[in-house]
Every structure is written in C-alpha cells, then in structure tokens.
Amino acid sequence: MDNDQRLCVFLIDDDAAVRDSLSLLLGVRGYATRVFDSADAFLHAAGDGGEGWAGCVLTDIRMPGLSGLDLQRVAAERGMPLPFVVMSAHGDAAAARQAFRQAAIDFLEKPFDDADLFAAIEQAFVRERERLASTNRERTVSGRLASLTEREREVCDLMVQGLSNHEIAARLGISHRTAQVHRGRVMQKMEAESLAALIAACRAA
C-alpha cells in the first residue's frame, strides 16, 4: 500500500469487538485510524465541516442514535467532504441503494473479505487525494491573485475576458506600453505560461 500519513480511516461502530478487530486490522495494514462508538461522537469531534480532517469514513449502518445513512446525510449537509464506506451485518438492498445515492464508495456486508475492505479504502483515498490536490491548486491560485496590485487585478480580469493590450489600454485609460507592462507582471506573478493557462487558473479559483 502507498501509505499517505495525511489520510486517516475514521471508524464508527457501536460494537466494541468490531471496533477493536477492525482497528487492529487497519493498523497492521498501515492505516492511521480514529475510532468512534457512535455517529454523534464522530460529529462532535469533527465539528462544523470536519476542517483539517482527511481520509475516509468507515461506518456501520445500524447504530443507536444516528445510523450510518443518517451520518452520510448530516455530513453532506455540513459540507464535510470525506468519502464514506458503509458496512452492514444485514443484506439490505434498499439501504445499499440509499448509501450509493448518497455517494458512498462501497457497501460492505459483514463478514467481508479483508481485500474488499482494503480495496474500498484505497478507492476512497484516491478520491480524497484528488480533492486535496484540487484544494491545494485553488489555494495556490488564490494566493497568486492576492499578490496582484489593484491595477494588475483589473488587467488580469480584462485579459481573462480576452481583451488585447490595445483594448485594455483604452478601457483603463492607460498607454499601450503600460498595459504591456502590467500584462507581463500578471503573467509572472500568476506563473502562467500562456494566456490559456491564466484563463484556466482564474476560472478555477
């Protein structure tokens, strides 16, 4: 396994024996884990949106209080992006369909093969790494935009709209040469190799 220490499996099950056995199994496999005995305990620890938490949720579906499906729904309402892997000791097709409608990575029926569990977690981690990479790109672009002066930001906005140097100069009441200088600084500060790259970065921010 390509272990990423930033990612954690958040294990939620009201059965202490299941929590202990799965926590041991995942630990031996090299996964970082945090264990909770209820959905409410998980939500209390995560706070609003689970800020700073990365990995996936591995939850039982039938628990006192909030069920695994309820937890999926509440997490989505709170803007918590963690992917879910749902477990159940009962072959409930309706519950499985609901879990997948709520974007679960997988629905595992207990007892399940270790390989199926690891495959589901790795699939969840792939999605999570993609999300983290996208977030980092957005933060990088936002930081670069923040480094622009007010005039450079105006020029940048007009460049993204497709205006030429002559058109930018006319729009802002500046000389063509000044527009060229600002354009060069925008490209440099934004670390954009082309106008197309600048447009893509600004639209993704």
Side-chain angles (χ1 to χ4, degrees):
M1 180 190 65
D2 181 16
N3 192 25
D4 186 341
Q5 293 298 324
R6 295 181 61 200
L7 303 184
C8 179
V9 179
F10 299 94
L11 171 60
I12 308 166
D13 201 301
D14 62 309
D15 188 321
V18 172
R19 290 197 306 273
D20 290 344
S21 62
L22 284 178
S23 179
L24 177 61
L25 175 65
L26 294 172
V28 169
R29 184 74 175 184
Y31 292 105
T33 60
R34 288 189 63 177
V35 180
F36 304 90
D37 61 5
S38 69
D40 288 321
F42 168 80
L43 290 171
H44 178 75
D48 292 335
E51 182 68 27
W53 285 24
C56 73
V57 176
L58 176 61
T59 182
D60 190 31
I61 198 168
R62 294 190 180 183
M63 298 179 288
L66 290 176
S67 69
L69 294 179
D70 291 334
L71 175 59
Q72 268 189 291
R73 175 181 51 78
V74 172
E77 290 172 352
R78 293 189 180 184
M80 192 178 300
L82 293 172
F84 273 69
V85 176
V86 178
M87 307 176 289
S88 177
H90 310 277
D92 189 335
R97 287 194 297 270
Q98 181 63 28
F100 284 121
R101 278 198 297 268
Q102 296 179 170
I105 294 293
D106 206 346
F107 186 93
L108 303 174
E109 289 188 34
K110 300 175 182 176
F112 43 75
D113 291 338
D114 294 351
D116 292 335
L117 173 62
F118 298 146
I121 291 173
E122 283 304 308
Q123 186 179 350
F125 277 10
V126 167
R127 180 186 294 182
E128 187 70 341
R129 290 186 185 101
E130 291 173 349
R131 179 186 71 82
L132 292 172
S134 176
T135 299
N136 287 337
R137 286 193 298 271
E138 290 172 3
R139 288 175 178 170
T140 297
V141 172
S142 296
R144 291 171 183 167
L145 284 170
S147 74
L148 300 178
T149 65
E150 182 177 352
R151 177 63 83 188
E152 288 166 354
R153 184 59 189 264
E154 290 175 333
V155 170
C156 181
D157 290 342
L158 295 175
M159 290 171 64
V160 170
Q161 294 174 33
L163 273 66
S164 68
N165 287 340
H166 285 292
E167 291 169 325
I168 291 173
R171 179 75 63 87
L172 299 179
I174 58 179
S175 70
H176 178 261
R177 174 58 183 161
T178 299
Q180 283 183 315
V181 170
H182 284 312
R183 186 187 190 98
R185 288 175 179 168
V186 167
M187 296 295 285
Q188 181 181 26
K189 289 184 177 181
M190 293 299 295
E191 299 183 23
E193 297 180 354
S194 65
L195 179 59
L198 176 69
I199 292 172
C202 290
R203 288 178 175 173

